[in-house]
Amino acid sequence: MRILIVEDEKELLIGISNFLTKENYICELADNFRKAEDKLSIYEYDVILLDISLPDGNGLELLKIIQKFNFKAGIIIISAKDSIDDKINGLDRGADDYMTKPFQLSELNSRIRAVIRRRQFNGDNTLVYNEISINTDAKSVIVNENKITLTKKEYDLLLYFIVNKDRVLTKEALAEHLWEDNVELADNYDFIYTHLNNIRKKIKLAGGTDYVKTIYGMGYKLTDQ
Amino acid sequence: MKFLTKINRNYALLLTFTLFVATVSMYFIVQTILLNDSKEKMIQKAGLIRHQIQNTGEIPNIYPIVEVTKQSQFKIHSVKFNQISLNNKSENENEIYLEFAEQVKIGNGYYTIKLRQRTFESEDLQLLLTIFFGFVLISVFGIQFLISKNWTKTLWTDFEKNLIAIEKFSFNNHKQLILCETDIEEFDRLNSIIEQMTLKLQTDYESLKEFAENASHEIQTPLSIALLNLEELLQMELSKDMFRKVITSINALKRLSSLNQSLILLTKIENRQFLADTVISFNELVTLKAKEFESLFETKKISVSYEFSGVFSAKINAQLADILMNNLLSNALRHNEIKGFIHISISTNEFKICNSGASNGLNNDNIFSRFTKMNSETFGLGLAIVKNICSTNKLEIQYLYDNIHCFSIRHAP
């Protein structure tokens, strides 16, 4: 999977690319409009992360070029502006998703995977993690060939864990993923624990292993090591 | 009181006063002039009579006007004027005369010449002159008054136009304030001062708006970098203590970021950067929003009930309406108790959201002010944002407490 990251803040650019490289993506970096334009004409990308405010141009203009050369690429706008206008504008011009800075890398990962899944029309939309397999089209989960029924939040949570396997996820990050903008409302995160317990029970009942480890009571990690 | 009315009123008052003083003094001046004139004439006449007696020996006597008497001895030394009152026999009433008495020596005899003149004759003249004078004054002043009144009115029309232009001026429509020239130095000076001032204010306003936009970007970017690094740090082998410190740092930065966003939102609302362009039905909005909140309500086992007896709608920016409802529902959820309830009632003129919660009412005075915290988890900006959205969109919000906490929104009168 090849990803183009267009971001003018170098620290952020490197941070994101380091993370995505670890996640086995091939990253191309561009810290301005011109470089982004060049890189777009050289390669085809699966996903493009696009910062709108660039020193030498508006990222929204790049959307036009992307549609010309890289119409297959999924586009995620990353912007510091929490502006609905920008969001609507970007999505109207062909972007798949819009993220407001600051964001969590695990959340970015999850969004990238979602975009890739959506773009692979004929591909196999099954995510496998040992005995657990998730069909993202049907939103069904099968453990050891036994179908288990999860609520929407439980499904989202499990998918998020598998996408971000071997990563420490904080309760807050999980809550943010589940509730997005309304995360502040959840003044305690006990419900994460409740959802997680339900998932564990259901997987165990189907004969699966509980891969989610609790870390110092403050975070979780899905791992089989 | 209008400037012109005030000027005219003062002018009229001054005019009346001047007219009164001028007329009264005119009366006395005319009186003195006439009196002096009569006196001179009497002295002349007395001279004539003296000659007549000297030449002819005849003593003229026309009572009461001329009275000459022969005296045995010299009595009076000097010329003397007197005011006397004589009885007019034919009309039987007292009349006031000016009397001139002089004693002269003609030949060997002494004569007293008394000349008299009725004063009312000159009084009539006096009055006539004064009235005429007064009339002339009134007409001159009056004509001037009317002319200047209309004239000043035309002088002020440009000023009035400029006033209206200033009244209609708004920073939001990006048009420069242009005032018309008036030909009057003072007005033009005022105009140029106002134009310069508004230009300065406008650039300040624009830069403030820009700041609000840029501040978001400038602050969020370093926060993103810090968060990204902390998140990566979290993936390393950490002791419990270190792990906890990283998490608290992440959460603190996130709070800072959302505080920043809330304050920028408040500034934007106060700068009226959101166009009220959609008529929003609160019935639809609250139903839609409550659905989004469903799973959050579940975590506290809160039941939501509705009572719609009409449609409450308002012209408001869609994004702001969304934030408004979001904050109201968040508020009702956050300050609710486990297994509590939320009741939403809507009529054509009121939207009301009530929730169960702490058994004491909140302070009405500062509930909507910034950083009034109910607990330490929040910034206390949610209701300040709600209040600002309401007040910039011709809505009125009130907090009521009657065993349950209620917020009521109505159209501002």
Side-chain angles (χ1 to χ4, degrees), chain A residues 9 15 22 53 80 84 101-102 104-106 153 167-168 170 172 176 179 182 184-185 191 216 218, chain B residues 216-217 221 224-225 227-228 231-232 234-235 238 240 243-244 251 254 257-258 293 295 319 326 330:
Chain A
E9 197 65 44
K22 260 189 265 163
S53 37
I84 296 278
K101 288 182 201 168
Q104 305 244 342
L105 290 173
S106 45
K153 293 286 172 203
R167 264 186 90 74
V168 176
T170 62
E172 291 82 3
E176 214 166 289
W179 311 110
N182 295 325
E184 277 174 48
L185 295 175
F191 59 90
Y216 302 131
M218 290 170 280
Chain B
S216 160
H217 183 251
T221 306
S224 305
I225 297 169
L227 278 169
L228 189 138
E231 206 193 325
E232 284 305 276
L234 210 58
Q235 308 308 323
L238 298 175
K240 185 176 182 179
F243 191 82
R244 200 174 47 89
N251 291 344
K254 276 191 184 156
S257 157
S258 82
F293 272 74
S295 49
Q319 193 188 345
N326 206 61
S330 316

Side-chain angles (χ1 to χ4, degrees), chain B residues 38 48 73 91 102 119 123 126 137 162 209 237 260 304 314 325 329 350 353 360 397:
Chain B
S38 310
L48 282 175
Q73 61 189 88
E91 286 171 38
E102 187 189 34
T119 52
E123 261 174 15
Q126 228 172 285
L137 269 187
N162 285 342
K209 253 167 56 170
E237 285 289 324
N260 174 43
V304 185
M325 200 50 74
L329 284 171
E350 189 186 29
I353 177 164
N360 51 323
I397 185 158

Side-chain angles (χ1 to χ4, degrees), chain B residues 163-400:
Chain B
L163 265 190
I164 291 167
I166 295 170
E167 261 170 10
K168 284 190 181 155
F169 177 73
S170 153
F171 286 114
N172 253 343
N173 56 18
H174 305 287
K175 269 189 211 151
Q176 206 189 320
L177 177 71
I178 293 164
L179 301 171
C180 56
E181 278 193 34
T182 57
D183 254 5
I184 298 164
E185 204 191 318
E186 287 83 353
F187 286 175
D188 284 343
R189 235 172 76 200
L190 183 70
N191 286 356
S192 77
I193 291 169
I194 289 173
E195 276 172 359
Q196 278 167 21
M197 228 160 70
T198 44
L199 201 67
K200 170 90 175 66
L201 285 174
Q202 202 154 21
T203 45
D204 283 359
Y205 174 76
E206 293 295 331
S207 59
L208 188 73
K209 253 167 56 170
E210 225 170 278
F211 171 76
E213 300 272 347
N214 289 345
S216 160
H217 183 251
E218 297 307 322
I219 296 174
Q220 301 298 49
T221 306
L223 280 177
S224 305
I225 297 169
L227 278 169
L228 189 138
N229 288 336
L230 285 173
E231 206 193 325
E232 284 305 276
L233 204 60
L234 210 58
Q235 308 308 323
M236 297 169 181
E237 285 289 324
L238 298 175
S239 69
K240 185 176 182 179
D241 190 41
M242 278 157 77
F243 191 82
R244 200 174 47 89
K245 278 180 177 157
V246 174
I247 286 189
T248 19
S249 306
I250 288 176
N251 291 344
L253 287 178
K254 276 191 184 156
R255 270 169 66 86
L256 185 61
S257 157
S258 82
L259 171 67
N260 174 43
Q261 264 159 4
S262 297
L263 285 174
I264 286 164
L265 177 66
L266 261 176
T267 319
K268 278 186 175 175
I269 296 169
E270 278 169 8
N271 286 347
R272 292 167 201 265
Q273 272 171 266
F274 292 95
L275 226 63
D277 51 1
T278 333
V279 176
I280 302 266
S281 150
F282 277 52
N283 304 47
E284 280 174 34
L285 182 65
V286 75
T287 325
L288 210 74
K289 269 276 147 193
K291 206 159 262 167
E292 282 179 31
F293 272 74
E294 238 164 40
S295 49
L296 279 166
F297 290 147
E298 262 168 42
T299 61
K300 271 191 170 180
K301 299 197 168 38
I302 286 164
S303 61
V304 185
S305 57
Y306 301 92
E307 186 189 326
F308 293 170
S309 66
V311 176
F312 183 85
S313 55
K315 199 171 181 192
I316 186 171
N317 180 284
Q319 193 188 345
L320 285 190
D322 197 74
I323 294 168
L324 174 82
M325 200 50 74
N326 206 61
N327 288 4
L328 282 174
L329 284 171
S330 316
N331 195 65
L333 167 69
R334 182 178 291 132
H335 303 293
N336 219 323
E337 55 206 9
I338 304 290
K339 290 185 181 169
F341 64 86
I342 292 173
H343 182 73
I344 296 156
S345 56
I346 302 180
S347 65
T348 40
N349 49 23
E350 189 186 29
F351 168 85
K352 198 167 166 188
I353 177 164
C354 299
N355 64 276
S356 52
S359 59
N360 51 323
L362 303 167
N363 188 343
N364 231 325
D365 298 329
N366 62 9
I367 183 169
F368 293 112
S369 28
R370 297 176 183 199
F371 303 111
T372 303
K373 298 181 185 187
M374 320 287 168
N375 58 43
S376 56
E377 301 283 318
T378 61
F379 301 121
L381 282 175
L383 285 177
I385 289 171
V386 166
K387 172 92 179 177
N388 266 346
I389 292 175
C390 284
S391 57
T392 50
N393 284 286
K394 297 187 186 115
L395 293 171
E396 213 175 49
I397 185 158
Q398 249 190 328
Y399 167 73
L400 311 155

